[in-house]
Amino acid sequence: MPRYHVKITGKDYDAMADLVRKYQVNVARHTVEKLDGGYRVDAHADGRKLRTLEAAGYKIERYEDVDKEGKKRQKEVRKVTKKAVTAEALAVATSAHYLNVVEVEKALATVADPPNGAFTKLIKLPNKTWENRVCNALKIGKGTGSNRPAIYFLGGVHAREWGSPDILIDFAQRLTNAYRTNSGITIGSNNFTAAQIKKIVETKDTYVFPQANPDGRNFSMTTDAMWRKNRRPAPAGHPQASCVGVDINRNYDFLWNYPTYFNASSPIANSTNPCDYQTYIGPKAVSEPETKNAVWLFDQFSNIRYFIDVHSYSEDILYSWGDDENQATNPSMNFQNGAFNGKRGIAGDTAYKEYLTTADKNTAVNLANKMQAAIKNVRGRVYKVEQAMSLYPTAGTSDDYAFSRHLTNSQKAKIYSYTIEWGSPSNPTPFHPAYPEMQKIIQEITSALVGFCIAAT
Ligand SMILES: [Zn+2]
């Protein structure tokens, strides 16, 4: 059954909410456009579902067959082999194709090689994946000190979003090359000076965990290009292919058991069904080795003050919160207050909104604006800076978990947290665009991350 990249138009809020709560359509949550006669959203669905939606009154604009196009993208990725890859082949800025899962780890290790040894360190994550892969993160930073803030970049959580590891490897390669050679970084009309680069490396720690879900990414690159989850074996008695895996970015300990916390009619983009192709939350919070690894870095490095999870797509920079709209007037209306259970997750109502102080919102937006400006300087694309909550709320995501840590435990530091959704909905196969387009996106997001490291203090 072929699957298509589509735009779906519905007549009102309920029609759009039903796409998720009734039809389980995979919508790009932040592409909702308000039209004269309703709303339109970018999405993916198979032919049968599209016919059902058309019969129910939705208007469908159909683009590429994502499986057919995905096969083409898969052919462009080098096969995983035992053969050694040269350092030049691992340089993302001059590469002609996505790094495969082995190449990402190799490229990360190469960044930590002796020429950069004085200011980098490879960090082996403690939990092997379901398919026994070992993941590594990289620390970039020279010097120590108690007032040294750390910044944490995560990527490769969703299997099909192939470009995020490439982005983070490119960032690490450019930052370390520039520091080692006492030079600046120029991308488009961004000119980050040698002095700015030196300040990042010598006064801050940067942690880069580029490929959190290598099992899923490998499966997407070789078998099912649209795969999103990890590769946890399917529960007994569920032989279907879709029953494998957990959505890592629904598995964090933030309102994880969402049916307790959310309004039953909320169009939340989460599922308790192990056979849900997209957003199964897992058997318990932080059940997955990939989630545990991502959390381990927060626990291990208590000076982390900033966090960015790199995803695709829709050209957005998202700040807290994702479970409901923000409010700054009632501190007791918050995710920890059981009195609001069953009320969360409806856009546009007043029964529940998540608490975020005006000061925190301003800090979050100001830093997001720096990233937006750096992205625009590459080729003029303007990413939207907006709250993670859209018409469609979420629970169990990394960004809300990261920002909630200081609220659930006052011993922990406040971590300003973001999700970047790179890439335009108008790209064919937007989760893994053809590499010439991906190269432009890599330049944009690397610029955003360098700009962020300069601005975050
Ligand atoms: Zn994602």
Side-chain angles (χ1 to χ4, degrees):
M1 170 83 48
R3 291 174 290 190
Y4 298 93
H5 177 199
V6 294
K7 283 190 191 295
I8 304 173
T9 302
K11 64 182 189 314
D12 54 19
Y13 170 87
D14 271 320
M16 300 314 281
D18 277 348
L19 285 178
V20 166
R21 64 189 178 195
K22 183 170 173 190
Y23 300 106
Q24 283 102 43
V25 172
N26 174 217
V27 298
R29 298 186 309 111
H30 281 270
T31 60
V32 180
E33 302 164 78
K34 181 89 184 77
L35 309 174
D36 273 351
Y39 299 87
R40 181 166 59 177
V41 71
D42 209 80
H44 286 81
D46 66 29
R48 184 183 302 146
K49 189 151 280 178
L50 292 175
R51 284 192 293 280
T52 304
L53 292 172
E54 276 171 329
Y58 293 91
K59 184 177 154 236
I60 310 291
E61 296 157 75
R62 198 182 286 211
Y63 303 109
E64 75 278 6
D65 174 331
V66 290
D67 294 301
K68 205 167 130 205
E69 292 302 308
K71 288 260 177 299
K72 288 188 201 160
R73 296 284 90 77
Q74 287 173 341
K75 288 205 182 78
E76 293 160 9
V77 178
R78 266 190 296 253
K79 288 211 165 35
V80 169
T81 65
K82 290 262 183 320
K83 235 173 73 189
V85 186
T86 63
E88 294 77 54
L90 297 172
V92 170
T94 50
S95 180
H97 40 70
Y98 290 93
L99 300 179
N100 69 35
V101 292
V102 171
E103 290 166 349
V104 169
E105 286 293 340
K106 175 79 180 139
L108 194 71
T110 303
V111 173
D113 272 351
N116 297 338
F119 60 96
T120 61
K121 186 168 181 276
L122 203 61
I123 301 164
K124 185 175 154 187
L125 277 305
N127 302 283
K128 282 190 179 177
T129 65
W130 289 100
E131 294 177 354
N132 273 318
R133 289 188 173 87
V134 174
C135 298
N136 288 277
L138 178 77
K139 177 191 174 187
I140 304 169
K142 188 177 185 188
T144 53
S146 56
N147 283 328
R148 210 178 150 86
I151 302 160
Y152 172 8
F153 298 143
L154 176 65
V157 166
H158 285 145
R160 63 196 175 193
E161 301 165 14
W162 297 356
S164 301
D166 294 52
I167 287 167
L168 292 180
I169 294 294
D170 182 61
F171 166 83
Q173 289 172 339
R174 287 186 194 254
L175 181 62
T176 54
N177 287 342
Y179 179 72
R180 190 185 62 248
T181 57
N182 195 26
S183 32
I185 296 175
T186 298
I187 305 175
S189 61
N190 290 301
N191 286 300
F192 305 112
T193 66
Q196 287 175 316
I197 299 303
K198 187 172 154 74
K199 199 167 172 192
I200 294 173
V201 176
E202 295 185 1
T203 68
K204 301 164 197 181
D205 296 330
T206 307
Y207 293 96
V208 180
F209 181 10
Q211 186 172 253
N213 177 16
D215 298 354
R217 188 167 181 265
N218 187 59
F219 188 71
S220 173
M221 285 182 150
T222 57
T223 308
D224 177 0
M226 283 295 285
W227 192 255
R228 167 180 166 106
K229 299 187 283 182
N230 73 354
R231 297 297 296 164
R232 165 188 272 268
H238 292 82
Q240 308 95 296
S242 73
C243 306
V244 170
V246 169
D247 184 345
I248 304 307
N249 206 29
R250 298 292 183 271
N251 187 238
Y252 291 87
D253 189 11
F254 175 81
L255 299 176
W256 173 81
N257 186 24
Y258 71 92
T260 300
Y261 302 112
F262 282 70
N263 187 310
S265 67
S266 163
I268 185 168
N270 288 46
S271 174
T272 54
N273 174 9
C275 301
D276 188 279
Y277 184 67
Q278 308 286 345
T279 56
Y280 172 47
I281 65 175
K284 60 178 190 183
V286 204
S287 57
E288 302 310 290
E290 296 86 356
T291 322
K292 288 188 173 101
N293 283 339
V295 169
W296 183 84
L297 285 167
F298 288 116
D299 290 338
Q300 198 72 11
F301 304 108
S302 58
N303 62 331
I304 291 173
R305 298 284 182 277
Y306 304 95
F307 170 68
I308 300 178
D309 197 354
V310 181
H311 285 255
S312 80
Y313 59 86
S314 60
E315 299 190 315
D316 288 302
I317 302 164
L318 309 176
Y319 60 88
S320 312
W321 295 93
D323 62 317
D324 207 311
E325 290 156 310
N326 290 337
Q327 53 91 12
T329 52
N330 182 1
S332 73
M333 186 189 274
N334 68 63
F335 68 94
Q336 297 191 81
N337 189 342
F340 295 99
N341 287 355
K343 297 187 172 169
R344 298 182 178 89
I346 306 283
D349 74 347
T350 53
Y352 186 81
K353 291 176 189 288
E354 193 58 64
Y355 181 63
L356 183 72
T357 67
T358 303
D360 279 341
K361 183 185 166 177
N362 289 343
T363 301
V365 170
N366 287 342
L367 278 168
N369 286 342
K370 302 275 195 231
M371 293 196 273
Q372 182 195 49
I375 289 168
K376 188 172 177 218
N377 283 344
V378 174
R379 55 169 170 166
R381 305 287 307 172
V382 179
Y383 276 44
K384 286 197 301 292
V385 172
E386 57 188 7
Q387 199 197 320
M389 166 71 177
S390 69
L391 195 148
Y392 306 101
T394 53
T397 61
S398 64
D399 49 1
D400 281 349
Y401 164 72
F403 189 66
S404 74
R405 284 168 58 95
H406 77 288
L407 299 168
T408 54
N409 180 346
S410 60
Q411 303 296 305
K412 291 181 177 166
K414 185 188 291 180
I415 302 173
Y416 288 101
S417 301
Y418 301 87
T419 298
I420 291 181
E421 299 274 5
W422 53 257
S424 164
S426 36
N427 290 327
T429 59
F431 292 115
H432 32 262
Y435 214 67
E437 169 62 16
M438 191 65 227
Q439 274 289 4
K440 294 287 182 199
I441 297 168
I442 290 169
Q443 291 174 15
E444 290 172 334
I445 307 305
T446 290
S447 298
L449 300 181
V450 175
F452 187 88
C453 288
I454 292 167
T457 53

